[in-house]
């Protein structure tokens, strides 16, 4: 019995080691959205293209979409834009834009330079919808199913790796179940 | 040399702006309300700059969160409602104090478990030591043998 007890510190050390090692690979800056499984929050905001057109959560009805939160002032948004163009043009993904805390003219300049992958763009100059969505750093990309329910939230740039490993499986699942 | 205190005083005045905190100013009706606000924003964590509370953080998202806390306070919301509204958007991450529920009970109970466990270990060690003290260090038989051996040793020493 005494002998066995001598191994106790080793067992505890191994246990703590396993626990800490499991946490090593995780990126603490990426938080899971609390909205997963819930419908997109209510909103009524202007379309970026046309101030007279009001958009609401019904823009997400009927088809699985990506909701991409972007702004002209956000450097990473410039980086990921090319890939969004590819997704929209080559992969036929429906992308709804959320222009977050931006100015119209800046947003237009951005789109004129890099192209427009968005089917619709919600204009959110005060970041109210962004706040309700729990956006804490653009760019963020949400997967929204055909019923307007949030399925996933990705914080950071979307690229080939993120698309293949993260977003595509979620989208495939959302398409399958609705 | 007599100018030194004055010089230091000027330096201290100039250093003021360097430690100035977050800039926006809110009006509160009472001092208690203001303290409640300060308390709330010091217990809420900024999702962007993860090791700061929203009181200290200059991130735009922290400003939005402070605005929301202020707005809800003006609407007469309770602390729980305000924290709840932010948790519903940003997740439990924004609370420095996690709520007590099934998932966090171990976390909350751990200090008590560790204290009681440590106390039990110490009590056990003391109890065993006490029990050993009560026993005579040598039985009568052993004592007789020991005396015999010692006597024979001293005999040898005497003979030398």
């Amino acid at each position: 019995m005494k002998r066995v007890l001598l191994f106790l510190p080793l067992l505890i050390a191994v246990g703590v080691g396993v626990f800490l090692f499991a946490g090593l690979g995780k990126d603490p800056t990426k938080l899971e959205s609390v909205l997963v499984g819930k419908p997109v929050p209510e909103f009524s905001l202007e379309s970026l293209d046309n101030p007279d057109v009001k958009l609401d959560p019904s823009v997400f009805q009927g088809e699985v979409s990506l909701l991409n939160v972007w702004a002209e002032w956000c450097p990473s948004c410039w980086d990921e834009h090319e890939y969004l163009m590819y997704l929209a043009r080559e992969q036929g993904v429906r992308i709804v834009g959320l222009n977050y805390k931006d100015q119209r003219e800046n947003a237009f300049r951005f789109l004129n330079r890099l192209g427009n992958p968005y089917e619709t763009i919600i204009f959110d100059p005060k970041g109210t919808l962004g706040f309700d969505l729990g956006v804490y750093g653009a760019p963020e990309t949400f997967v929204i199913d055909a019923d307007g329910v949030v399925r996933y939230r990705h914080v950071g740039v979307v690229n080939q790796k993120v698309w293949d490993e993260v977003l595509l499986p979620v989208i495939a699942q959302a398409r399958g179940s609705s | 040399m007599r100018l030194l205190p004055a010089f230091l005083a000027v330096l201290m005045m100039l250093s003021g702006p360097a430690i100035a905190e977050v800039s926006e100013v809110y009006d509160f009706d009472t001092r208690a309300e203001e303290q409640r606000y300060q308390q709330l924003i010091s217990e809420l964590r900024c999702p962007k700059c993860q090791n700061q509370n929203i009181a200290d953080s200059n991130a735009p998202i922290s400003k939005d969160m402070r605005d929301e806390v202020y707005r809800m306070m003006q609407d007469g919301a309770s602390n729980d409602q305000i924290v709840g509204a932010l948790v519903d958007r940003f997740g439990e991450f924004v609370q420095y104090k996690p709520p007590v529920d099934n998932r966090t009970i171990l976390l909350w109970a751990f200090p008590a478990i560790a204290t009681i466990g440590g106390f039990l270990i110490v009590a056990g060690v003391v109890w065993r030591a006490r029990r050993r003290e009560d026993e005579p260090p040598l039985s009568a038989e052993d004592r007789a043998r020991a005396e015999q051996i010692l006597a024979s040793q001293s005999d040898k020493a005497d003979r030398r």
Side-chain angles (χ1 to χ4, degrees):
Chain A
M1 188 57 205
K2 273 268 156 82
R3 284 260 172 102
V4 176
L5 275 182
L6 288 179
F7 285 97
L8 199 62
L10 179 70
L11 286 180
I12 292 175
V14 169
V16 170
V18 168
F19 176 71
L20 293 179
F21 189 78
L24 261 190
K26 286 186 183 163
D27 183 352
T29 61
K30 296 198 171 166
L31 307 176
E32 192 170 320
S33 173
V34 277
L35 283 177
V36 170
K38 292 184 191 159
V40 173
E42 282 300 319
F43 66 92
S44 172
L45 290 165
E46 290 171 9
S47 152
L48 181 72
D49 306 321
N50 185 350
D52 298 328
V53 176
K54 290 274 183 199
L55 298 171
D56 61 41
S58 66
V59 296
F60 298 110
Q61 293 292 329
E63 196 183 336
V64 176
S65 344
L66 289 182
L67 171 62
N68 178 247
V69 183
W70 66 283
E72 189 269 341
W73 49 260
C74 143
S76 307
C77 301
W78 292 77
D79 291 343
E80 74 170 357
H81 205 78
E82 196 184 340
Y83 194 74
L84 295 180
M85 291 298 293
Y86 161 78
L87 284 182
R89 288 204 176 143
E90 312 289 327
Q91 301 286 321
V93 181
R94 178 175 191 253
I95 309 180
V96 175
L98 174 63
N99 182 248
Y100 178 65
K101 290 192 176 180
D102 210 348
Q103 286 163 4
R104 268 211 169 82
E105 50 191 283
N106 291 348
F108 285 138
R109 202 174 58 219
F110 178 95
L111 293 176
N112 284 337
R113 235 164 100 180
L114 298 178
N116 183 359
Y118 306 109
E119 192 187 282
T120 316
I121 303 174
I122 306 161
F123 182 54
D124 188 14
K126 290 190 177 144
T128 50
L129 176 56
F131 194 72
D132 287 342
L133 283 167
V135 170
Y136 62 92
E140 291 187 16
T141 303
F142 293 77
V143 178
I144 313 235
D145 71 14
D147 299 323
V149 173
V150 177
R151 289 300 188 95
Y152 189 78
R153 184 261 295 267
H154 172 76
V155 178
V157 170
V158 174
N159 52 30
Q160 186 74 50
K161 189 169 185 285
V162 171
W163 174 251
D164 288 342
E165 291 175 8
V166 182
L167 295 179
L168 191 56
V170 179
I171 289 176
Q173 203 195 7
R175 281 187 180 143
S177 66
S178 56
Chain B
M1 225 27 213
R2 242 190 296 155
L3 283 178
L4 191 63
F7 176 67
L8 284 179
V10 169
L11 265 190
M12 281 165 97
M13 269 185 249
L14 288 176
S15 68
I19 54 160
E21 265 194 20
V22 180
S23 55
E24 79 268 0
V25 176
Y26 295 109
D27 286 326
F28 292 94
D29 295 337
T30 64
R31 183 101 183 99
E33 279 287 281
E34 188 174 350
Q35 276 168 353
R36 183 159 85 97
Y37 171 77
Q38 291 297 344
Q39 175 79 13
L40 273 169
I41 64 171
S42 66
E43 281 175 4
L44 287 163
R45 183 177 182 183
C46 167
K48 183 72 190 168
C49 29
Q50 306 197 330
N51 291 323
Q52 280 185 306
N53 56 24
I54 64 171
D56 284 340
S57 165
N58 279 317
I61 186 67
S62 296
K63 184 184 180 315
D64 288 352
M65 288 167 79
R66 288 192 297 271
D67 285 345
E68 181 72 4
V69 170
Y70 180 72
R71 194 190 61 71
M72 287 188 75
M73 280 183 71
Q74 297 310 96
D75 290 350
S78 71
N79 287 5
D80 284 350
Q81 282 171 325
I82 294 173
V83 172
L86 290 171
V87 167
D88 283 348
R89 292 178 171 105
F90 297 96
E92 269 162 16
F93 180 86
V94 297
Q95 271 179 294
Y96 269 118
K97 275 189 198 163
V100 184
D101 62 23
N102 284 339
R103 290 169 306 127
T104 57
I105 189 70
L106 194 62
L107 183 69
W108 278 103
F110 195 76
I113 293 173
T115 310
I116 293 171
F119 183 76
L120 287 178
I121 289 173
V122 170
V125 168
V126 169
W127 181 70
R128 280 169 96 178
R130 284 264 171 83
R131 203 177 55 172
R132 225 172 278 155
E133 257 169 39
D134 290 345
E135 287 172 6
L138 287 175
S139 64
E141 218 175 299
D142 286 343
R143 180 170 285 273
R145 251 187 80 209
E147 266 163 16
Q148 206 182 343
I149 291 166
L150 284 173
S152 68
Q153 290 286 326
S154 58
D155 281 354
K156 275 182 203 161
D158 287 346
R159 244 175 269 156
R160 242 183 246 152

